[in-house]
Amino acid sequence: MKFMGYRRADGKAGIRNHVLILPAVVCANRVARGIADMVSGAVWVEHQNGCTQLGADLELSRRVLVAHGAHPNVFGVVVVGLGCETLRAQAVAEEIRAACPGKPVKLVIIQDEGGSVKATTAGAIAAREMLGQASREVKVEIDAAELILGTECGGSDACSGISANPALGKASDLLIEDGGTVILAETTELIGAEHIVAARAVSPAVAERCYEVIARCEKQATDMGVDMRGGQPTPGNIEGGLSSIEEKSLGCVYKAGTKPLQDVIDYAMPVTKRGLVWMDTPGQDIEQLTGMVAGGCQIVVFTTGRGTCCGSPIVPTIKVATNSELFRHMNDNIDLDAGPIVAGAATVDQIGQVIYDEMLAVASGKLCKAEILGFNDFAIHRIGPTM
Amino acid sequence: MMSQKHAIVMNEKDNTATAVEAIDAGTAVVVSVAGQDLAVAVKHKIPFGHKFALRAIEPGGPVIKYGETIGYATKPIAGGEHVHVHNLESGRGRGDK
């Protein structure tokens, strides 16, 4: 299968042509938003990170920000720093340039520019130029084998494991059969289903990693001396009929399909293997989404039973309802309906094909609802304190 | 038959069924288990997406869905009873135990 996308100078395939305004630190959020407000078509993110972080936690924030700037769905990037922060905006911009030779990268430092108004102006001038250049990019035919799909489920209900997740699993299998790559994530929501994934690992070492990341995740709850049911399943999950994390996980794991597991990677690390890959992320939807995007996925399919509207600013986030009532009720936000499986009116394979076809249409430019509505959800997982 | 479906059993090992529409207390529900029809008298009102027991589960016994253990019964559960957080507890991530 093929789609029409953007061939980047570094050889990677993009499915969008965004100009991203990227604050390297929390203090630059307002300027980043001001730049995006001034330039029609630019996207921006906001976050709480970049200063007074330490060690591995700081490194993780750096990795996520650089990966968003370097992402193949991004044509050009304006990096905004304050000037005195721990995570140097200069270093973020340099790393993006090194990873993507030829990509337009503009660095704006608020203290150097003489304040927020001047910095916003400098950023807007650069973003305006980039959008002009971006509009002249010509799409080319690209093989589906170059797609990396991020899979996600959030606001799960008891139908997640019956309809939308098995259907997404079918779509995952179809992409892998076409040579592509699928990310399974949200480690918390694999507790109780790890043996199913580990049994499909390509090597004993990969299987061992499955058990390792689950043990680390579960230990966080036990070390805190709490019952994980305080947060997982969520109150909405429980209202929807999910009684335990195991039940939620066993429904979640269907979205990974049936193919062999090639690799287990850390949060926001680049996906380097083809086929099915497990990224160790939290279950919190936005931190997971951000980690998978940093890993290089160009498209996300997100199943939901309770209903969610979120979307990455740079990666189309397609929503699939587990039940037709939700599809009608939150139709402004949900793209596809897997409810006919519950009603017995369609098979898992049929809806799986619908999801795969929609993925390729979106890869070629069809806008999903989260994009049309301007969602720009972004949250970097934290593993250390703010000092 | 499809239009009469009230509940789904995901795997033949399961001792629970998942309601795919709200079921009133006292309803006689027929579910399909590995191609065989099984009649269950549902004792409680079961909201959409919630579970009921296909047969008796003793305290401490595994509650099974998808052919896998999803938790353990905290009290005796009779066939047809609503199964949820009031009579099922997770075995995982239990820092409180």
Side-chain angles (χ1 to χ4, degrees), chain A residues 49-73:
Chain A
N49 300 20
C51 203
T52 62
Q53 293 179 261
L54 295 173
D57 185 54
L58 178 65
E59 157 59 21
L60 208 160
S61 291
R62 186 201 58 75
R63 189 195 304 161
V64 169
L65 291 167
V66 169
H68 274 69
H71 196 281
N73 285 3

Side-chain angles (χ1 to χ4, degrees), chain B residues 23-29 40-46 52 79-82:
Chain B
I23 300 172
D24 286 331
T27 306
V29 173
V40 182
V42 172
K43 293 183 189 302
H44 306 123
K45 182 174 165 47
I46 310 293
F52 57 88
E81 267 192 55
H82 186 208

Side-chain angles (χ1 to χ4, degrees), chain A residues 158 194-195 239 243-244 246, chain B residues 49-51 68 70 84 90 92:
Chain A
E194 64 271 33
H195 56 294
E239 280 169 29
S243 307
S244 67
E246 297 96 307
Chain B
H50 287 232
K51 295 174 293 300
E68 304 277 345
I70 63 166
H84 202 19
S90 170
R92 302 293 297 268

Side-chain angles (χ1 to χ4, degrees), chain A residues 10-257:
Chain A
D10 63 358
K12 293 200 170 126
I15 70 168
R16 290 294 182 269
N17 208 31
H18 289 300
V19 170
L20 173 66
I21 319 301
L22 184 70
V25 62
V26 56
C27 319
N29 282 345
R30 178 66 185 88
V31 168
R33 184 172 189 159
I35 295 168
D37 281 348
M38 206 178 283
V39 185
S40 174
V43 295
W44 86 103
V45 297
E46 293 179 5
H47 60 86
Q48 304 304 313
N49 300 20
C51 203
T52 62
Q53 293 179 261
L54 295 173
D57 185 54
L58 178 65
E59 157 59 21
L60 208 160
S61 291
R62 186 201 58 75
R63 189 195 304 161
V64 169
L65 291 167
V66 169
H68 274 69
H71 196 281
N73 285 3
V74 172
F75 171 84
V77 57
V78 178
V79 179
V80 188
L82 177 61
C84 52
E85 58 270 30
T86 318
L87 180 56
R88 309 295 292 172
Q90 295 89 333
V92 171
E94 269 319 301
E95 279 194 64
I96 296 168
R97 288 192 184 108
C100 307
K103 176 176 284 203
V105 180
K106 169 72 176 178
L107 175 66
V108 176
I109 304 288
I110 296 166
Q111 290 168 356
D112 292 352
E113 294 292 336
S116 67
V117 177
K118 290 170 186 154
T120 304
T121 303
I125 290 168
R128 195 272 302 152
E129 285 172 7
M130 285 180 202
L131 274 149
Q133 292 169 25
S135 70
R136 295 195 294 274
E137 286 286 296
V138 177
K139 285 190 186 185
V140 297
E141 193 174 74
I142 295 175
D143 200 289
E146 296 194 48
L147 282 178
I148 303 176
L149 165 68
T151 65
E152 182 153 4
C153 54
S156 298
D157 71 354
C159 290
S160 299
I162 296 170
S163 59
N165 286 344
L168 177 51
K170 177 64 185 178
S172 297
D173 283 354
L174 289 171
L175 178 59
I176 291 173
E177 283 162 17
D178 280 344
T181 300
V182 174
I183 307 175
L184 170 69
E186 46 205 335
T187 301
T188 325
E189 292 158 15
L190 289 168
I191 292 175
E194 64 271 33
H195 56 294
I196 295 170
V197 188
R200 281 160 40 198
V202 292
S203 70
V206 172
E208 196 175 313
R209 281 279 288 150
C210 295
Y211 290 107
E212 266 174 30
V213 296
I214 288 287
R216 182 203 49 74
C217 179
E218 198 167 2
K219 189 169 180 297
Q220 286 176 336
T222 50
D223 282 353
M224 287 173 72
V226 293
D227 178 353
M228 199 164 62
R229 287 179 299 180
Q232 283 275 18
T234 66
N237 294 151
I238 292 172
E239 280 169 29
L242 293 176
S243 307
S244 67
I245 186 63
E246 297 96 307
E247 183 181 8
K248 184 173 175 177
S249 298
L250 290 161
C252 281
V253 75
Y254 280 102
K255 67 185 184 293

